[in-house]
């Protein structure tokens, strides 16, 4: 659990994440692949909150804009990445999420 002040940003992230996760669940991807994307989205949320702690000025900016910058070229470098393949998987999910956000914004 994060801090109480993280809840508003976390709730806004969930609003952005939910349609993507529902899209994945309705897709023809394998359950294992869907779970990997879900796990990576959980990590993305954690990295987002970590960034808020590292740069408190981000709390004053719209969550969707901060998130968009985070995933502009894949995902942020993972703070706790144990392996290169973990980062590649995370970047893949972030790119897929960005495409989804771009397509649904039209």
């Amino acid at each position: 659990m994060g801090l109480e002040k993280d809840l508003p940003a976390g709730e806004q992230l969930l609003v952005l994440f939910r349609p993507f996760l529902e899209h994945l669940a309705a897709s023809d991807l394998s359950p294992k692949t869907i779970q990997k994307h879900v796990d990576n989205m959980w990590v993305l949320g954690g990295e987002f909150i970590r960034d808020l702690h590292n740069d408190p000025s981000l709390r004053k900016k719209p969550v969707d804009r901060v998130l968009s910058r985070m995933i502009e070229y894949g995902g942020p470098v993972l703070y706790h990445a144990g392996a290169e393949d973990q980062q590649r998987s995370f970047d893949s999910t972030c790119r897929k999420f960005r495409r989804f956000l771009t397509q649904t914004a039209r």
Side-chain angles (χ1 to χ4, degrees):
M1 165 114 179
L3 303 174
E4 190 75 27
K5 65 182 177 179
D6 297 333
L7 289 176
E11 289 170 352
Q12 290 176 45
L13 283 177
L14 288 176
V15 168
L16 296 170
F17 287 6
R18 185 177 305 274
F20 177 66
L21 296 172
E22 289 171 349
H23 168 76
L24 290 175
S27 74
D28 60 353
L29 295 172
S30 75
K32 184 177 177 181
T33 300
I34 292 170
Q35 186 60 54
K36 191 59 160 170
H37 286 306
V38 169
D39 293 345
N40 285 333
M41 293 301 289
W42 178 265
V43 171
L44 178 59
E47 293 295 326
F48 185 95
I49 298 299
R50 180 186 320 282
D51 282 359
L52 294 184
H53 288 270
N54 291 336
D55 183 356
S57 71
L58 293 176
R59 291 186 187 279
K60 298 175 184 162
K61 298 180 181 178
V63 168
D64 60 335
R65 288 192 187 144
V66 175
L67 180 65
S68 181
R69 284 191 203 110
M70 281 184 79
I71 62 173
E72 190 169 1
Y73 303 106
V77 175
L78 294 174
Y79 175 77
H80 65 282
E84 190 176 315
D85 60 328
Q86 184 181 13
Q87 182 71 51
R88 274 196 309 272
S89 173
F90 179 66
D91 288 342
S92 174
T93 298
C94 290
R95 285 190 301 272
K96 188 175 193 67
F97 180 44
R98 182 166 177 80
R99 279 192 307 271
F100 176 83
L101 290 175
T102 302
Q103 291 171 353
T104 57
R106 293 178 191 172

